[in-house]
Structure formats: C-alpha cells, structure tokens
Amino acid sequence: MLYKLILTGGPCSGKTTGQAQLSTFFENLGWKVYRVPETATTLFSGGIRFVELKQNEAETFQENLLKTMMAMEKTFLDLAETSEKDCLIICDRGTMDAAAYMSESAYKRILKTNSWNTVELRDNRYDQVVHLVTAAVGAEKFYNTEDNPCRSEGLEEARKLDELTAQAWVGHPYIDFIDNSTSFDAKLKRLISSVCKRIGIDTSDRLGKGSQKLKFLVKSMPPDTVFPPYQDFDVVHDYLTTNNPKIQSRLRKRGQNGIWSYQYTTRRCESADQVVEIRRQIIHRDYVNYLTQRDDCHYTVYKTRRCFLWEHMYFQMDIYKAPCHPRCNGLILLETYTTAKGEDIIPKLPSFLEVVKEVTRDPSYSMYNLSLKAEWSTSNFHKDAQNVTKNIIDPNGYSLNNPGLVNNQPGIKS
C-alpha cells in the first residue's frame, strides 16, 4: 500500500514534530516512511527573503516553488512505488499551500501558464490532508518564532496565514483539522489517530478517541452570500449490482468545471457487529467499465456538495438534485466530524443554517435508502448494516480508505 499525506497549517502548528512522531509510529508498524521536506524552508535557507521580493519576483518565486515541490515529491513517489513494504509519504505542505501566499489572479495565471488545474493539484494528488492549527489560535502562550529562523510572523499574521492555508485546501475529499483544544502531546496523538483511521489501522487503546461523523437535516438553502468562502462540487453516485446481499458497491464521480475524480466503494457486513467500508481511487476507464454493473433498483444520485470552514470546523453540505426520487426533492444534509456529542454540538453548527434535527443514525437519510426506487424498507442489506452501525470497525465514522490493517490483521491492498 502507498499512502500520500500532507501536513499543513499555520506557523508554529507542530508540523515538524508531528512529521517525526508519525514517522516513528508507522516505522514501528513495519512501514517504510518517506518525509518530503518543506520546499519553501529549503529555498529560504539559501538566502531568499520573501518580504524583500517585488510583486513580479514573488509570483515567479511561487511558480518555481511549485515546480520544485512537485519534482521533490516525484522523487520520493518513484522510490515509494518500488517499495516492497507498505509505504507512507509525509509531505511538509503541499501544492495548494502556495495559493495562500499569492493573489487569486496570480494563482490563476500560474495554473494557465503551466496547464495545471485545481482538481489535480488539490484532490487527486494526495490521499489525505491534515491541517494542524497554529498555536496562535487557542494556544497563544506557546506560540514562538525562535525554533525556526525562517519564521517571523506575529500572532495576527500567523492566524491569517492559518486561515488562508485552510481555505486553500477546502474541497479536498479527505481533510482533517487538528486544533489546540488539548495538550500538545494529545494534539499529536489526534494527528496520528486521524491518519490511522483514514488508512484503516485499528489503534485500539493506543491513541485517544478521535472524532465521529455526524449528519444533520437542513431546512432550506440560504443565500450564497451568507456562507464563508466555499467550494462547490458536482457529485454523482451509482450503486452497483452484487451477488452477495451483505455487500454494497457504489461508484462516485466528483468534480469541478468538467474535471473529475473517481472512486469505487464497497461496504461489507463481516458479522453481526462489524461493517467494513473500503474506498479506492480509480481511473476514468475503470469507472466506465464499472458503470455497466449499475443496479436498476436504484436511482443515480446527483448532488451539489458544498465544502466550507466555520469556526475551525470543516463541513460538507449535500444538496440533492433532480432527477431523483420524490423523497429527495429539496433535501439538504450537513455533515461534519467532531468530538462533540449530543447537545454540545448544536452551538458549533453554522449559525446561518436552519438545522432541523440530527439524522446520523436515521435510516431514512442513508444515501442507499434515499436512492432506492422502491420503499427503503425492502432493503435487507441496509437493515442489517443499520443494526450494527454503532459497532462499525472504524468506531469514529471514518471510511476505510485502502486499508493496510483492519483490527491488526492484513487488509485489502490497492
């Protein structure tokens, strides 16, 4: 298995220490770990001072920084692809971080000049993005610029850069935010836990409990103007036929401006108390081939997915679109991952949305049941799966993305 991870965040967020602890953890599991250094720091150590650059020089620098970053990543990726071990590549910042340090017009010009596009740079290049929030937000007394000679930002600038960096990655399908609500040691444990859960490694009691996925019904769509900066995606889901009633298979196409990424997912009932969900990226050719197995018992599901940040929490909002079953007309569902539970989560939800109720475990709002042409109660598999949701292998609601280990046993390799 090869897993490519980005560590990003504002100044003094713990990226360097986090990278070291992640490396030790995965090496202890027998993985090969490659660490891609931060390109900007490497260049700055050669005498470049960003604050001294003129606007045109700064834009040229960012363009060359991106080229250098991609070349460095390719060097490690080529080595990882020949590894006989499971391999983790940890990148200290990624391609979208550059967008936080330049104007929107400059960023678009660089994309056009190099025939790059945001979907490829952001969505298809990395398996997971982890944003470590700067100490300047919630842990101010620990913020300092002494540990890094290339760092000179004050508290306010650090907060601004943290926000801009986070916004640059909004829209990536697998992004986790690690804030400063705990001690630094616990913060790093949450970092490791988030990566393990995305990969599908059962950490048992070695790491503290992470977040759980919660789902909410939203009454209506407010005007776009009330939202913070957001990214909208077109999403298309199709369920596939299977020979085993205990297995669900589905395809997802997700994109912007006609540029798509593709995913194949299986959800399998292992026993009365275990459900395993496995996701993997596929290419367009495989997507077209899988579509021939479309299940005629289900409608194709069309959505607009809106991704945005609110008070340092990451939200995804699915707006169902026609053609669809009448039960989906006007349906809007909001999802987030959080450690908050029960009534504690309500104050954290976006204030500009009218949330009707939580529907996390309500079978009426599962996409599988929503897409059925018949009444959802006719689905034997989903009734079985719904009964064991609380004991799913991933106890915090994350799907198992190309797992290397499940319950400490070898998993399915991509």
Side-chain angles (χ1 to χ4, degrees), residues 229-382:
Y230 61 83
Q231 293 284 333
D232 279 353
F233 296 86
D234 296 314
V235 181
V236 181
H237 287 277
D238 281 285
Y239 282 92
L240 308 180
T241 57
T242 63
N243 295 324
N244 188 336
K246 300 295 184 181
I247 295 178
Q248 290 178 7
S249 294
R250 69 174 183 264
L251 292 175
R252 187 189 75 180
K253 181 172 75 168
R254 178 182 187 268
Q256 290 176 316
N257 303 318
I259 302 171
W260 302 92
S261 61
Y262 306 92
Q263 187 181 85
Y264 175 74
T265 300
T266 59
R267 193 167 192 259
R268 182 176 67 251
C269 278
E270 293 283 6
S271 66
D273 61 353
Q274 287 186 0
V275 174
V276 179
E277 186 170 286
I278 301 169
R279 298 177 179 180
R280 61 184 176 90
Q281 295 293 115
I282 59 175
I283 61 176
H284 177 259
R285 181 186 62 196
D286 293 336
Y287 176 81
V288 172
N289 289 336
Y290 276 125
L291 273 179
T292 63
Q293 304 170 34
R294 184 190 289 116
D295 189 344
D296 290 335
C297 294
H298 291 262
Y299 288 101
T300 297
V301 177
Y302 299 93
K303 306 175 184 175
T304 294
R305 172 162 291 175
R306 176 161 295 185
C307 305
F308 60 93
L309 290 170
W310 177 259
E311 300 296 334
H312 303 291
M313 290 180 65
Y314 188 69
F315 290 91
Q316 293 186 158
M317 192 166 71
D318 285 344
I319 303 102
Y320 282 72
K321 299 162 57 178
C324 61
H325 192 283
R327 67 171 73 95
C328 297
N329 286 336
L331 181 63
I332 304 173
L333 296 175
L334 180 73
E335 293 185 356
T336 190
Y337 287 89
T338 178
T339 56
K341 298 179 181 178
E343 294 300 318
D344 293 339
I345 184 59
I346 302 302
K348 298 177 180 292
L349 297 178
S351 59
F352 54 85
L353 295 178
E354 187 174 352
V355 174
V356 178
K357 60 180 177 178
E358 182 185 345
V359 294
T360 305
R361 304 195 185 282
D362 188 337
S364 302
Y365 295 96
S366 77
M367 188 172 66
Y368 183 90
N369 290 334
L370 288 168
S371 67
L372 280 169
K373 293 181 178 179
E375 291 304 313
W376 65 264
S377 59
T378 62
S379 167
N380 291 327
F381 168 81
H382 200 82

Side-chain angles (χ1 to χ4, degrees), residues 377-398:
S377 59
T378 62
S379 167
N380 291 327
F381 168 81
H382 200 82
K383 285 191 290 186
D384 291 339
Q386 195 67 34
N387 288 337
V388 298
T389 299
K390 293 182 180 179
N391 297 311
I392 195 167
I393 277 184
D394 178 352
N396 298 311
Y398 289 102

Side-chain angles (χ1 to χ4, degrees), residues 97-151:
D97 285 73
Y101 292 84
M102 68 178 84
S103 67
E104 184 177 359
S105 60
Y107 174 69
K108 289 181 177 179
R109 181 189 63 76
I110 289 173
L111 292 186
K112 184 177 181 180
T113 300
N114 293 277
S115 299
W116 296 332
N117 66 77
T118 299
V119 172
E120 288 296 330
L121 292 181
R122 181 191 59 214
D123 301 352
N124 295 342
R125 192 173 180 85
Y126 311 102
D127 295 299
Q128 181 185 357
V129 177
V130 178
H131 181 102
L132 296 168
V133 177
T134 174
V137 178
E140 290 82 356
K141 66 180 180 180
F142 298 108
Y143 182 83
N144 71 83
T145 59
E146 299 171 0
D147 297 335
N148 188 337
C150 297
R151 181 187 300 149

